[in-house]
Amino acid sequence: MVTQQTSSRQNGKDQTFVDRWGWLLDVETAQASNFPSGRGEAPLVVPSRARALRRMKMNGRRRWEVLVASSLAASALAQNQQPILPQSPSIIPPLGFGTWRLGKYNASEAVSVALQTGYNHLDCAAVYGNEKEVGQGIIDGLEKSGHRREEIWITSKLWNDHHDPDKVRVALDQTLRDLGLDYLDLYLMHWPVASHNGENFLDYLSTWKAMEALLPTGKVRHVGVSNFSPRQLDDIISNADVKPAVHQFELHPYLQQTDWVEWHHAHGISVTAYSPLANANPVYGSPGQDTKTPPSLLENKEISDIAQARRCTNAQVALAWGIGRGTSVIPKSQHADRIRENFESTKCELKDEDYRTITAVGKKYLHRFNKPGKDWGVPLYEDLDDADV
């Protein structure tokens, strides 16, 4: 793939900007792509004769071409939806409460406790099978906490069996009824996978167009994606009128995906980390049961040493690390004490040396836990760390 480099004149010299994945952007492109990343650094200015395209090395595997910066800029300029920037916690709260695997018997109470504790960000999904109970918890939690609906960020997700464009609004309306809401702050395509008549296959472009069409209805404020690979996200952006506002995917100290996270930041797409406590959830099997399975993050020695030094718990260290990277995190628990413990992670202050230690942990125990691709018969996370192909 060949791209044509453009440049701008600054102080009599051609100048370009370099984004975090090695792309060269001219001044206008950089601005249209929401550059810099929101962490406060100024972009690097380099001579325009530098190479217009670079390739990323992904964990020793084959190199792949990421996205063309100029096409991203065009998409950003054309969109009607404003991207959610990582540096805008007033828009999407950095600490949320997840509802995955909350049973119908305890989902309402857990959500209510979370809202009373101070969480103002809930993550839901139709496939979790508990949205009615979550909705009851929202009503109870708002009443007891004194908050209004408008003060709470609520996300839900479209499941694979409703990828048909004619079914997208039907699915949204059902979610809104179950949750007892008039609108969602964010609606995500849960996977780039459609399910029909017992078959699973990659299908998302027409579904995305149908999700774009939800925005004018007022029933959703933002739309985004979840579990997409770089190539699939490229497809969306190249064919979309509205750029995804948020990409939600698995992130934790055992699966850091730093380059992928930084790319989203540089291009104005917010990142939400699910399973931020890694294998603390028993659905991911028994931690440390063999040499290929990392120890529980809640018992990891390196994390424990940091927790002791900072007077935090292991969970709080992991969540503070995720928030410190500019992502939002959505831990889940059904226990009131752990719900409160996770909420206190915003007070856990990590040092630079802690981030370096956690980086080393990620290299030592690189592991992705959520891998449904083989069961579904479709490749997932292509070109990403510990891909499911």
Side-chain angles (χ1 to χ4, degrees):
M1 183 171 69
V2 178
T3 60
Q4 180 178 357
Q5 181 181 336
T6 57
S7 63
S8 296
R9 300 289 294 181
Q10 181 175 328
N11 298 327
K13 298 179 180 180
D14 290 341
Q15 301 288 333
T16 54
F17 291 89
V18 176
D19 77 3
R20 294 181 178 276
W21 278 31
W23 286 102
L24 295 184
L25 290 73
D26 62 28
V27 174
E28 293 180 359
T29 302
Q31 292 173 344
S33 297
N34 300 295
F35 193 88
S37 70
R39 291 196 174 190
E41 304 95 339
L44 175 66
V45 179
V46 301
S48 63
R49 63 176 176 271
R51 293 176 62 194
L53 175 67
R54 298 183 184 178
R55 294 171 182 267
M56 272 298 304
K57 182 177 182 181
M58 299 297 291
N59 196 34
R61 297 187 303 277
R62 70 179 178 82
R63 296 168 181 267
W64 53 280
E65 295 170 343
V66 196
L67 310 180
V68 182
S70 59
S71 68
L72 287 172
S75 174
L77 290 171
Q79 70 180 14
N80 296 317
Q81 170 179 269
Q82 292 295 319
I84 304 170
L85 300 178
Q87 71 271 23
S88 302
S90 61
I91 298 178
I92 180 168
L95 177 62
F97 182 72
T99 61
W100 179 50
R101 296 186 65 80
L102 286 179
K104 292 186 177 182
Y105 66 93
N106 63 6
S108 297
E109 182 180 0
V111 169
S112 179
V113 169
L115 291 175
Q116 293 176 64
T117 299
Y119 290 84
N120 58 351
H121 174 185
L122 299 177
D123 183 80
C124 318
V127 74
Y128 298 167
N130 58 11
E131 288 196 318
K132 287 184 179 179
E133 291 72 23
V134 169
Q136 293 167 5
I138 292 173
I139 293 173
D140 187 65
L142 290 179
E143 180 180 351
K144 291 179 178 178
S145 67
H147 290 300
R148 304 188 311 274
R149 161 66 184 95
E150 294 76 17
E151 298 174 307
I152 307 298
W153 178 282
I154 301 178
T155 296
S156 189
K157 309 179 193 75
L158 175 79
W159 187 239
N160 303 353
D161 58 358
H162 279 72
H163 272 224
D164 185 312
D166 293 334
K167 295 182 178 180
V168 171
R169 187 172 297 194
V170 174
L172 171 64
D173 288 342
Q174 184 62 56
T175 279
L176 290 174
R177 283 195 296 272
D178 288 345
L179 291 173
L181 302 175
D182 296 324
Y183 71 94
L184 294 173
D185 296 277
L186 175 64
Y187 199 40
L188 301 175
M189 193 188 314
H190 209 147
W191 293 89
V193 178
S195 301
H196 183 69
N197 292 333
E199 298 291 329
N200 300 303
F201 48 93
L202 295 173
D203 179 57
Y204 46 85
L205 289 180
S206 60
T207 307
W208 181 254
K209 287 295 184 182
M211 293 185 70
E212 290 179 336
L214 298 175
L215 290 168
T217 70
K219 295 181 178 181
V220 299
R221 300 291 173 85
H222 303 89
V223 290
V225 297
S226 181
N227 298 301
F228 273 55
S229 72
R231 200 172 300 276
Q232 292 158 355
L233 187 55
D234 186 9
D235 282 345
I236 289 285
I237 293 175
S238 298
N239 292 278
D241 294 320
V242 176
K243 183 173 66 175
V246 177
H247 189 183
Q248 183 179 126
F249 49 94
E250 182 181 346
L251 286 172
H252 43 73
Y254 291 156
L255 186 68
Q256 302 186 13
Q257 304 188 93
T258 300
D259 294 318
W260 190 217
V261 171
E262 294 286 5
W263 182 89
H264 287 78
H265 288 181
H267 292 87
I269 300 176
S270 184
V271 172
T272 295
Y274 72 71
S275 296
L277 301 181
N279 52 353
N281 196 310
V283 73
Y284 290 142
S286 300
Q289 61 185 351
D290 55 50
T291 57
K292 295 182 180 179
T293 307
S296 169
L297 193 68
L298 301 185
E299 298 176 359
N300 179 284
K301 183 181 184 306
E302 293 93 335
I303 302 298
S304 295
D305 289 344
I306 295 173
Q308 183 176 5
R310 307 302 165 221
R311 297 184 178 182
C312 304
T313 66
N314 283 37
Q316 290 169 347
V317 168
L319 297 175
W321 171 84
I323 294 171
R325 302 172 83 207
T327 69
S328 56
V329 296
I330 46 173
K332 155 267 181 189
S333 180
Q334 59 186 340
H335 305 288
D337 56 343
R338 292 178 184 170
I339 291 172
R340 298 185 182 103
E341 173 189 333
N342 292 341
F343 185 74
E344 294 297 312
S345 63
T346 56
K347 300 178 182 179
C348 182
E349 298 184 5
L350 303 181
K351 307 296 184 183
D352 289 344
E353 62 196 74
D354 302 330
Y355 284 94
R356 289 192 291 269
T357 297
I358 295 174
T359 296
V361 167
K363 294 177 180 178
K364 180 179 180 180
Y365 294 114
L366 174 63
H367 196 89
R368 184 187 297 274
F369 295 99
N370 194 13
K371 288 185 168 184
K374 291 182 180 179
D375 290 339
W376 291 350
V378 295
L380 296 173
Y381 317 121
E382 183 183 9
D383 298 317
L384 294 173
D385 290 336
D386 201 13
D388 189 16
V389 295

